[in-house]
Amino acid sequence: MQESPFFLTVRGLSEQLSSGAISSVELTQAYLDRADELDVPPFELPNEPRSDHEGKLATMVTIAREQALEAAEQADREFAAGQRRSILHGIPYGVKDLLDTTGIRTTWGSRIFMDRVPDRNATVIEKLQDSGAVLMAKMSLGEFAGGNTSTALNPWKLDRTSFGSSSGTVAAAVAGLIGFGIGTETGGSIVFPASAVGASGLRPTFGRVSRFGCMALSWSL
């Protein structure tokens, strides 16, 4: 790779992939290496910020290395065959850890469900899989999406809050740990952390995106 991909836009990453300047495997491995260096915390699945983070950002609950590299290899085969599914094709992403992912644990941010491995995908994950996007990580959140913040630290200043239950997703995006990320919002869980860390966070109109396979903080909100 001629330049760092970590702070390119989705469109920029897509252009690099479709032109053959980088492969999806190269891009995914680069993100995985960066996550190993900057993100993996020295503790197991807490749900609040901690002082013993040792400089790690702690935005990820689970890194799906094998699945991500397998999906990236498939994306590269499709690119080679002239099959580009979408602008997201081949781009590694992270998703808040309350959306079900087949064969990858989904904890809802709680130790109670730290070993829960779904046998289905949430509709959002299915749509992203169909688009060719590469699921790389499940992102930290407030326990059951009910807390003000997750373990995720503010990438700009580690003693500042990332503020909001989707903070793992948005902090990782700002830190260049994922190409893009998916959060959820009931009452500010996307827009609050986005404002805290300088990310672009979009809250879609209620009902526009299917919540099948997604733990809901409240079914009526």
Side-chain angles (χ1 to χ4, degrees):
M1 291 177 284
Q2 298 300 311
E3 61 177 317
S4 170
F6 302 122
F7 299 103
L8 292 176
T9 63
V10 165
R11 185 170 297 281
L13 289 171
S14 182
E15 290 171 352
Q16 293 274 303
L17 287 164
S18 60
S19 70
I22 56 175
S23 70
S24 181
V25 168
E26 288 174 330
L27 183 63
T28 301
Q29 189 63 62
Y31 276 117
L32 289 168
D33 291 344
R34 185 171 174 83
D36 284 337
E37 178 185 0
L38 299 178
D39 194 72
V40 182
F43 42 76
E44 177 67 24
L45 197 68
N47 51 49
E48 296 293 339
R50 291 171 52 153
S51 59
D52 58 340
H53 52 75
E54 298 179 8
K56 303 292 187 177
L57 293 174
T59 69
M60 300 178 185
V61 173
T62 302
I63 300 177
R65 290 178 178 83
E66 292 183 9
Q67 294 92 336
L69 289 170
E70 182 179 336
E73 289 171 358
Q74 179 176 340
D76 285 336
R77 287 193 296 270
E78 291 170 348
F79 282 130
Q83 301 169 354
R84 183 172 180 263
R85 298 196 201 183
S86 75
I87 192 174
L88 301 178
H89 200 173
I91 298 179
Y93 75 97
V95 61
K96 188 174 180 177
D97 195 32
L98 49 60
L99 283 155
D100 281 350
T101 46
T102 302
I104 302 170
R105 71 172 181 162
T106 302
T107 69
W108 300 344
S110 174
R111 290 188 182 91
I112 296 171
F113 294 107
M114 66 184 300
D115 297 317
R116 178 179 177 269
V117 179
D119 59 3
R120 67 177 186 182
N121 280 329
T123 299
V124 170
I125 302 300
E126 283 292 324
K127 288 181 177 293
L128 287 166
Q129 185 172 290
D130 290 344
S131 78
V134 174
L135 175 59
M136 183 187 121
K138 304 299 292 293
M139 315 309 294
S140 61
L141 67 151
E143 186 173 21
F144 300 124
N148 250 354
T149 189
S150 69
T151 57
L153 302 177
N154 191 314
W156 304 116
K157 202 169 189 301
L158 299 184
D159 64 348
R160 300 292 176 89
T161 182
S162 54
F163 190 49
S165 76
S166 293
S167 56
T169 301
V170 295
V174 164
L177 298 174
I178 50 177
F180 68 95
I182 301 295
T184 64
E185 176 167 328
T186 302
S189 295
I190 292 174
V191 297
F192 287 165
S195 66
V197 306
S200 295
L202 173 67
R203 175 183 178 174
T205 303
F206 180 76
R208 184 169 180 83
V209 178
S210 171
R211 291 183 296 165
F212 176 80
C214 176
M215 190 220 82
L217 173 59
S218 169
W219 288 108
S220 59
L221 296 173

